[in-house]
Amino acid sequence: MAKYVINGGKKLSGEVKISGAKNATVGSLAASILTEEDVIIENIPDVWDINVMLDAIKVLGADVQRIDRNTVKINAKNANLTELSDFNLGKMRATYYFVGALLARHHKSKVIFPGGCNIGARPINLHLKGFTALGAKAYEENGFIITEADNLKGANIYLDIESVGATVNIMLAAVLSNGVTTIENVAKEPHVVDIANFLNSMGANIKGAGTDVIRIKGVKKLHGTTYSVIPDQIEAGTYMALAAITKSDITIKNIIPKHLESISAKLIDIGNQVIVYDEALRVIGSDVILPTNIKTMPYPGFPTDMQPQLACTLTLANGKSKIEESIFENRFKYVEEIKKMGAIISIDNTTIIIEGVKNLDGRKVVATDLRAGAALVLACLAANGVSEIDKIEYVERGYEDFVNKLKNLGADIERKEG
Ligand code: UD1
């Protein structure tokens, strides 16, 4: 098992280029099986989750060619299989998108139940509710999600919660159905909009992505496309938090500043300077980190996927901060790890109270999930002395070239096997 060894406490500086959005790419990859023509997707991040999705597309019978590290060409003409049961797929979340895509293309699917980061119960009832409304039988059985339909017909669907996964999955299932589907109370995250744009570039008729209501007019057929994925909002946010926690001056390039507004606002609140360019942001970390209160919310609110990174930053604030996690009920497992480094944090159900301390100390810690792992990397880079982070495979699921990008900013970090 690999680990990171970090010698912290150094100021960093320079530029970092953000990769394509993992959570957009996973949806677009599943969508690529909806046509028999060539689909070229550019700016895909080279991370574990994406590589597992590509393997799954091959398992379904599609031809997958990696044109270069960040570009893939998929031809799903021969993608005739409808079952995915590989063990790795069960370890990640986004495999649920194959359910919607297979249902649209073959009117049936049997896909291993999604895993992903252990941050709460993460039910899929809203996905199933959507498929059922479209006329499918959709249920969980023996660790699989199973769907089957004679015909898919447009329907009006209201999501009780603004779920990213359910919004995208219902979109995928509905694009080739008969008639019009309206999904209300949808997620508005940038990756939801990007997947809708990707589908529209294949000839789908989706309107309203980015608002509360998405309207999908079913089309008979989709065609090939060449599409470039948007930059990763959370990867960018992680480097922004890095500037804040290490009190450094970092320019984050290849981003869409609009997607980062809630994160920028919080970083400014706690004393940092954020300078916005057309496709870049510069964060100048403040010598004094101010305390604040945060509540995670669906987009355009503060993202739950940035909660651990900001929590770690606030461990070094000069006062008491409060973070309420309103999306996932079990997203504070990293707290025990950061406490080993000297942080003072108490957990009250879905809220944490952080009493700022002057310094964190290098320690051996364990990544508990993807974003928590990244947050611990930030904490270790800010801490005095040497740290080791175990279970970094979590981090490698979502951050392309993390070690090299950090080294380019002047960080003392090594990846070691064993
Ligand atoms: C996606 C992201 C994840 C991010 C999350 C919230 C991907 C692959 N993952 O996860 O990184 O943290 O959005 O921005 O894009 N819920 C239900 N029933 C459902 C579906 C969801 O109750 O059928 C609940 C969840 O338990 C959670 C909330 O809705 O409390 C939001 O979850 P959702 O947006 O669906 O998250 P994911 O798609 O799992």
Side-chain angles (χ1 to χ4, degrees):
M1 286 292 164
K3 62 185 175 195
Y4 293 148
V5 179
I6 293 174
N7 192 2
K10 294 185 172 54
K11 283 213 182 202
L12 310 176
S13 66
E15 294 179 347
V16 58
K17 185 168 172 273
I18 298 307
S19 301
K22 171 180 85 71
N23 287 349
T25 309
V26 287
S28 298
L29 286 176
S32 71
I33 67 160
L34 295 178
T35 177
E36 297 195 345
E37 296 177 17
D38 285 350
V39 169
I40 296 174
I41 313 182
E42 299 163 346
N43 202 33
I44 63 167
D46 185 11
V47 294
W48 192 87
D49 273 19
I50 297 304
N51 295 326
V52 172
M53 287 293 284
L54 287 169
D55 286 344
I57 293 173
K58 281 189 213 156
V59 167
L60 292 174
D63 182 41
V64 175
Q65 281 179 50
R66 201 69 175 242
I67 293 175
D68 60 39
R69 188 175 183 199
N70 300 111
T71 310
V72 68
K73 181 168 161 187
I74 296 165
N75 185 293
K77 191 163 188 230
N78 298 320
N80 294 321
L81 300 181
T82 57
E83 181 168 334
L84 287 170
S85 54
D86 179 80
F87 172 70
N88 273 337
L89 285 171
K91 289 203 285 192
M92 61 175 287
R93 193 79 201 144
T95 47
Y96 51 30
Y97 291 147
F98 285 116
V99 179
L102 287 168
L103 183 59
R105 170 142 179 198
H106 297 294
H107 288 185
K108 64 175 189 170
S109 66
K110 182 175 177 189
V111 176
I112 191 165
F113 197 84
C117 292
N118 184 4
I119 52 182
R122 307 187 86 175
I124 54 146
N125 56 309
L126 297 173
H127 304 231
L128 301 183
K129 172 181 158 174
F131 301 145
T132 307
L134 294 171
K137 272 193 216 150
Y139 53 95
E140 295 173 42
E141 193 176 78
N142 301 329
F144 283 85
I145 312 172
I146 297 171
T147 65
E148 202 179 329
D150 292 331
N151 254 314
L152 292 174
K153 273 194 16 213
N156 292 337
I157 300 158
Y158 179 86
L159 298 183
D160 308 300
I161 303 173
E162 295 170 45
S163 156
V164 169
T167 302
V168 172
N169 228 344
I170 297 169
M171 247 174 12
L172 288 167
V175 278
L176 292 173
S177 65
N178 294 318
V180 175
T181 298
T182 308
I183 323 172
E184 287 184 65
N185 197 34
V186 293
K188 300 185 276 289
E189 268 67 5
H191 34 284
V192 173
V193 178
D194 199 51
I195 297 164
N197 288 341
F198 175 81
L199 283 162
N200 283 341
S201 80
M202 296 172 76
N205 186 337
I206 303 172
K207 298 214 164 97
T211 73
D212 290 322
V213 182
I214 291 181
R215 193 165 174 274
I216 304 153
K217 201 166 166 203
V219 294
K220 288 254 164 328
K221 223 174 153 185
L222 294 179
H223 53 69
T225 185
T226 297
Y227 190 89
S228 183
V229 176
I230 53 164
D232 196 300
Q233 174 204 25
I234 305 301
E235 189 198 12
T238 301
Y239 287 101
M240 292 168 74
L242 173 67
I245 193 172
T246 58
K247 303 173 178 178
S248 300
D249 183 345
I250 298 178
T251 298
I252 297 131
K253 295 177 79 174
N254 187 37
I255 51 129
I256 299 175
K258 172 97 193 132
H259 295 166
L260 299 166
E261 278 175 354
S262 65
I263 302 166
S264 294
K266 267 301 151 199
L267 289 183
I268 292 167
D269 257 12
I270 65 172
N272 303 282
Q273 222 184 311
V274 178
I275 303 167
V276 181
Y277 305 100
D278 283 351
E279 292 182 1
L281 275 179
R282 179 174 169 202
V283 181
I284 305 171
S286 161
D287 280 341
V288 179
I289 300 175
L290 305 173
T292 193
N293 294 339
I294 297 178
K295 182 174 181 182
T296 61
M297 297 289 281
Y299 188 84
F302 188 87
T304 173
D305 283 359
M306 281 299 300
Q307 180 259 104
Q309 298 88 317
L310 259 287
C312 285
T313 305
L314 292 169
T315 61
L316 291 172
N318 70 345
K320 189 198 276 189
S321 301
K322 185 168 115 179
I323 301 186
E324 187 182 343
E325 171 55 60
S326 80
I327 310 291
F328 293 112
E329 65 278 15
N330 188 15
R331 203 162 196 178
F332 292 132
K333 284 214 238 113
Y334 66 89
V335 164
E336 283 314 308
E337 299 301 310
I338 182 90
K339 278 165 75 176
K340 291 180 191 163
M341 301 175 69
I344 303 177
I345 307 181
S346 58
I347 307 181
D348 179 8
N349 198 14
T350 54
T351 299
I352 50 174
I353 306 288
I354 305 167
E355 301 276 356
V357 293
K358 285 226 154 31
N359 296 301
L360 295 174
D361 297 313
R363 290 280 182 274
K364 281 191 177 184
V365 288
V366 180
T368 52
D369 64 64
L370 166 59
R371 305 302 170 188
L376 288 171
V377 171
L378 306 193
C380 293
L381 287 167
N384 294 328
V386 177
S387 295
E388 279 185 27
I389 309 184
D390 267 336
K391 296 234 163 112
I392 58 158
E393 58 270 22
Y394 281 121
V395 181
E396 293 176 346
R397 292 177 56 162
Y399 288 86
E400 184 175 68
D401 260 348
F402 204 23
V403 168
N404 283 334
K405 287 185 184 185
L406 290 168
K407 276 186 173 174
N408 283 340
L409 295 170
D412 187 344
I413 175 169
E414 295 296 336
R415 183 185 191 280
K416 297 216 162 126
E417 291 294 338

